[in-house]
Amino acid sequence: MTENINLNLQNIIRQDIIDSPAYQVHSSIGMIKLDAMENPFILPENLQKGLAQHLSVVHLNRYPSPEDYQTSVDIIRNYADIHSDLDILLGNGSDEIISMLANLIPDNSYILALSPSFVMYKASADIARLNFISIDLKSDDFNLDLEGMKNAIQKYNPRLIYLAYPNNPTGACFSKNDIDEIIKFAPNSLIIIDEAYQAFTNNKTYMSSLPDIIKQYPNILVMRTLSKIGLAGLRLGYIAGHKQIIQQLNKVRPPYNINVLTQASIEFLLSIQENIDTLNMQAQIICQQRIIMAEKLDEFGKVFNSDANFLLIRMNKDANIVQNKLKEAGILVKNVSNMHKNLHNCLRISIGTLEENNKLLEWLKKIKVIVNI
Ligand SMILES: Cc1ncc(COP(=O)(O)O)c(C=O)c1O
C-alpha cells in the first residue's frame, strides 16, 4: 500500500535521520539462528513454570516503583558480585545505556572506539549528533593499536572511550596491559569497559578490581548485559562505577525504563542460586562447544581466538557464497566482510546447541564440495 502523507518530512525531521537506514533485524522464523550471539538454550521446564507463576501476580496496571528498581539493582549487585563502593545503573539492554552515555557528554565532543567493534557505539554518536572516531585494530590478530589510541586521545580529547572486553565481532579480550595503559593515558575521558560477553571469558573482568581502580581513576566504568547468558528477551543491561558518575547518568535515564516483567523475572531467575546455576551451566556448555567448534571450523578457514560465545572465521574462499548457501539451508550466520577492510571474507558464528553446531558443520562440508572452497 502506498501512503500519501501530506507532510514535508524535510521540514520537520533531521536530514541525517531521513538519509540513514534503520537498524535491520531480519526475520528468523524457522531458522537456526547463529547470527546474533544469543544463548541457544531455552529455560528448562521447571524454571519456565516457576517463572510463569511468579509473573502471574505482577501488577501490570502500575508503573514500576522506585523500590522495585532498587530491588533489581540489589539483585544485580548480588548476582554479579559488585562491590558496595560502586553504584549501579540499569538499562533497557546495554544499548540503552550506550544511548544514555551519549546524552551525558558535551555538544561537539568525541566518542572514541576501536574498529571493528560494536556498531552501537558509532550509532549512538550519530543519533546524538556527536563526533565519532575509531582506531583500526591490528590487521593480523585484531589486537589493540596502543600508539594509535594514544594519538587519538591526545588529538581529539574524547569524552567517552569504549573498550569491548572481549570485542565484538573479533571475539578475544584485548591485552590487559594495553587497556591499563589507556586507563593511565585518558584521565579526562569516561572509559567504558563493555563486558557483554564476560560469562564466557573464564573470569577475565575489570568488575572485581573496579573499586580499587576508581580510587585513582574514577572515570572508569564497567558495563554488562544479561543478553548473552540466556535472557536477551528481557532487555537488561547494567553499568557500575563511581557514585558521582552514576548519579549524573541517572539524570538521563528515562523514568520506568526497566519494566515490571523484567524486574520480576530477574527476581525469580537471579536471586535463587539454583536458577543462577542453571544459567551458569548453559554458559559452561557454550564455552566447551566453542573449543570443539574452533577445532572443527579450522577446516573451512582461519578461526580467531575467542573469549565470547561466538567465533570469527576468515573463510578460505568467498564468505558471501557460504553465507547465502547456509541461509538456503536454514542457517543464519553473520557476514561481517563488509563491516571493515580487515574483516574481508569473515563470518561471525554464534555457538549454538550441539545439534545446531553439527548441522552447521554438516552444511559447511556440503557447501565445500558444491562450491569447491
Ligand atoms: C559488545 C557489546 N555490547 C553491548 C551489546 C548490547 O547488548 P544488549 O542486548 O544488552 O543491548 C552487544 C550486543 O551484541 C555487544 O556485542
Side-chain angles (χ1 to χ4, degrees), residues 37 93-95 98 118 121 164 168 194 196-197 225 227-228 235:
M37 297 91 75
S94 31
D95 282 351
I98 293 168
F118 184 41
Y121 305 149
N168 165 21
D194 182 350
Y197 301 93
T225 175
S227 294
K228 312 301 170 185
R235 307 303 297 128

Side-chain angles (χ1 to χ4, degrees), residues 107-158:
D107 291 349
N108 302 318
S109 56
Y110 278 82
I111 295 179
L112 170 64
L114 297 153
S115 188
S117 193
F118 184 41
V119 290
M120 292 311 289
Y121 305 149
K122 178 174 188 310
S124 70
D126 291 344
I127 291 168
R129 286 190 260 210
L130 295 164
N131 301 301
F132 180 80
I133 178 93
S134 63
I135 299 301
D136 282 353
L137 296 173
K138 291 183 181 161
S139 58
D140 48 347
D141 56 5
F142 298 122
N143 265 323
L144 212 146
D145 168 10
L146 188 55
E147 279 316 300
M149 282 298 275
K150 283 184 170 177
N151 290 338
I153 291 164
Q154 222 152 25
K155 185 164 173 197
Y156 299 103
N157 185 21

